[in-house]
Each structure stands twice: as structure tokens, then as C-alpha cells.
Amino acid sequence: MIRILSCLALSVISVWAEFLPTWSPHQMCAEAGAIVVGERVGANRVAVREWILSPSDGRKVGSVITIAGLDKHDRMIGTRADGSDREQGRRLKSQRLLCFLEEKSDGWRAIAAAGVGSSGLIWIEQGKCYRYEQRKNPGPHILLPSRKHQTEEALRLAVGNGLADREVWERAQKIPHPQEKAIVFCSYLLERTSPEGAHGTYRSRVRRVLPKLGEQAVAELVALLENAIPGDRLDDAVLILYDLGSAAKPAVPHLVALLQQPGYVHPVRLIEALGRIGDATVAQQIIPYLDRELRVRAEVAGAMARFSYQDSVPLIAKALPEPKAVEEGDAYHVYVMLRALHELGAEETSRLARTYLEIPAMKHVRNLLEPFLQEGNPG
């Protein structure tokens, strides 16, 4: 249960930080089943003038295709939140479009289609691009002049670069030698070495494929940690070491060293990885972090429970926040600390859990606290 909640907490933070409501052309180049330039000739019909990216099976269904839901896309230009756009209220006249397509059960659809718009459909009028954006997600799409790629020329250049990076990534999947493959995958984890530069499109995919390389992955991740320089962000590398679990034990000294080097990765990620790897010899080096911010304290407590480190019980209990100081966003972290005490067999778990039970900020996790209210705890 701890891991499930932790994943949810971290994934919400990561997704909100890394993915804007409107997909970038680079992201869509990675996901698209096809990319076309054409003219709308019916409610959902498009006369294809160019297949920028053809379907992988080589299939091209004639010169006219159907894009399901195309007729739902609003063509009235909206208003930006800052009021900076002067075209609001004007309806687009052009039927020219560039569309990133994905194949669904009902045929082709624009990528990320929802309601009256989508990230995957871009209208082009007199060489100028118009995109659907969201002010918040979830939320309605609004048609606006594109800010990042304002002209068709700039958009097509971005698409060309995106497809070139896609080709490089696809070649990396076919590398036969595990060590070489691990080296290439690891290069995506740092902006200064990544084949895609500042884009994070494929960096997020490395976490799915690199752990499959086992020892080779660990060796290259250790090398990456050793050779990091100021300005590097190591969060993704540390998350992959977490995924590798006990197999990542050779990385433990480097993870501990990073705790003393702020700026590379947040302590929460480091302590989470150390706890999952399960090398209890680092317990004494992690314990001092029980005086940090609450989310760090919670991760330390979880690691101590995984280490079965009984000497940490009084320190975890002392690190719990004052009940009257607990705020809405603290509930998960308090739960994790109580759960750690429960797993360590602390006799005071029941008493401590009761002090938080009726606090309004803890209402969302009350049902999770109930197992801790029994007087006996597992030894």
C-alpha cells in the first residue's frame, strides 16, 4: 500500500511538471501512427496532399481519409488568459491542416482529441498556425494562434526534427549488444548528452526499457552518477535504480554520496531508491534526514521499515508532526510514518494513530489508519 500511494504522489508531481495540456510536436512525432498535411473536404474527410509520416504498415487509404471527430473541432479563435491575442472571435476560413494521427477502433483520430479540440490537429491559414490549447487539464480546448511554432515553415521544421529523433530512438531499440544499448539509453537521461537535446520525449521512455538490461543497466547508471557535473539532473537515473531494486546495490555508495550534494536530485528520490534496494548498512546515514521536511521524513521512515531497523522507532515517533500542525497535504506523509512504526512493531503506534484520527486534514486516510488502532502490532 505504501508503494502504491507513493507512486501516485510522485507520478502526479512528475506528470504535472513534465507534460503540458498541449502536446508538443516532438511528443506527437514520437506517438503518431501517421502525419498528414491536407485540406478538409467534408465534415470528417480530408484530402491528403502529403504523408509526412506514412503508416508503419505502408498502408495509405487513397488520397482522401476520414478523421473521426474532425467535425467537433471548434474553428472560432478564442481569447488568451492574458488578453494578448487580437484575433479572438474570428472564425478560421482556411481548411488546410497538419494532423498527427493515431489509429483507434473507429479509424484515424487526431492525437489527444477531447471535446472541441485536440493537440494533434493544427490549422494553417495564410502560412500561420493555429492550435488548440488548454488553460488547465482537464478543461476545454481553445483555438489560438500558435506561440511556439507560429508559421507552417517553423512547424514543419519542428516535425522534421521530431521525426529525426524518432528514427534515432528506433535504431537504439535494435542495438544487439547489451552494454552498447545501455550506454545509448543512459545518454538520454542527461540533457547535455541526450540525442534529443532538451526534449524529454524519449527520456521518459528509458525508464521502461533500461531496467530490462539488468547488470549492464546498473553499470552504466553508476558511471552516469560518477561522471555527473553541476547542472545535471539525476532524478530519472535514480528512479531507474529504484526500479532495479536489489540488483542496483553497486550504486548504493553513489546514492549516499549524492545526499551530500544538493542540486542533482531531491533527497526523497534518493532515500526512496535506497529503501527499495534494501541495503540496511546505510540506515545510519539516512537517519539524520528525519529532521528535514515532512515528505523526506516520511521516506526515511519507510526505508527504516524496509530495513527492519528497530533502533529507528523512537526517532520516527519523535519526527511525527504535531497533530494540530497537520495540513491537508500532509496526510499521506503522516500515514507513511505511522505505517512504518506499525511494521516495525512499535507499541506506541496505536496511541499515536489515535491522536491523528479526528484531525480534519487526515479525513482522506482515516480508513488506512484503522489497522494501526489495535493495541498489538506485528513484531
Side-chain angles (χ1 to χ4, degrees), residues 11 23 36 41 50 74 103 136 217 232-234 277 298 325 352:
S11 64
W23 289 37
V36 299
V41 294
E50 179 184 357
D74 189 6
E103 194 158 19
K136 60 181 181 179
D232 287 341
R233 291 298 305 176
L234 303 178
I277 294 168
L352 291 170

Side-chain angles (χ1 to χ4, degrees), residues 256-373:
V256 172
L258 284 171
L259 285 169
Q260 308 299 322
Q261 302 178 59
Y264 286 106
V265 59
H266 197 282
V268 164
R269 291 280 171 85
L270 292 167
I271 295 168
E272 179 190 39
L274 289 167
R276 174 68 181 276
I277 294 168
D279 185 349
T281 62
V282 303
Q284 284 295 325
Q285 293 162 287
I286 296 176
I287 282 287
Y289 288 83
L290 281 172
D291 66 0
R292 299 296 183 90
E293 61 188 285
L294 183 57
R295 61 175 177 153
V296 176
R297 282 180 268 162
E299 203 58 58
V300 173
M304 295 303 111
R306 295 184 190 100
F307 296 156
S308 298
Y309 193 70
Q310 300 293 328
D311 290 349
S312 67
V313 167
L315 298 172
I316 295 172
K318 184 179 179 181
L320 280 163
E322 288 290 331
K324 61 183 179 182
V326 174
E327 300 177 352
E328 191 75 25
D330 298 336
Y332 160 72
H333 304 301
V334 172
Y335 163 74
V336 169
M337 296 179 76
L338 291 170
R339 177 65 183 246
L341 290 171
H342 180 73
E343 292 184 352
L344 288 166
E347 294 180 357
E348 60 264 50
T349 304
S350 176
R351 174 182 60 80
L352 291 170
R354 290 181 190 281
T355 65
Y356 294 99
L357 194 60
E358 299 306 322
I359 296 174
M362 299 291 292
K363 62 183 178 181
H364 300 301
V365 296
R366 282 176 185 166
N367 61 320
L368 299 176
L369 297 182
E370 290 179 0
F372 310 155
L373 302 179

Side-chain angles (χ1 to χ4, degrees), residues 94 96-98 122-129 152 155:
S94 173
R96 184 172 174 81
L97 56 82
L98 187 152
I122 301 171
W123 297 103
I124 303 169
E125 186 173 273
Q126 295 183 345
K128 187 175 179 179
C129 296
E152 180 176 1
L155 175 61

Side-chain angles (χ1 to χ4, degrees), residues 62-83:
S63 59
V64 178
I65 63 171
T66 297
I67 301 177
L70 178 59
D71 57 332
K72 296 179 181 178
H73 286 68
D74 189 6
R75 290 173 50 80
M76 186 72 73
I77 299 173
T79 305
R80 293 193 187 279
D82 60 8

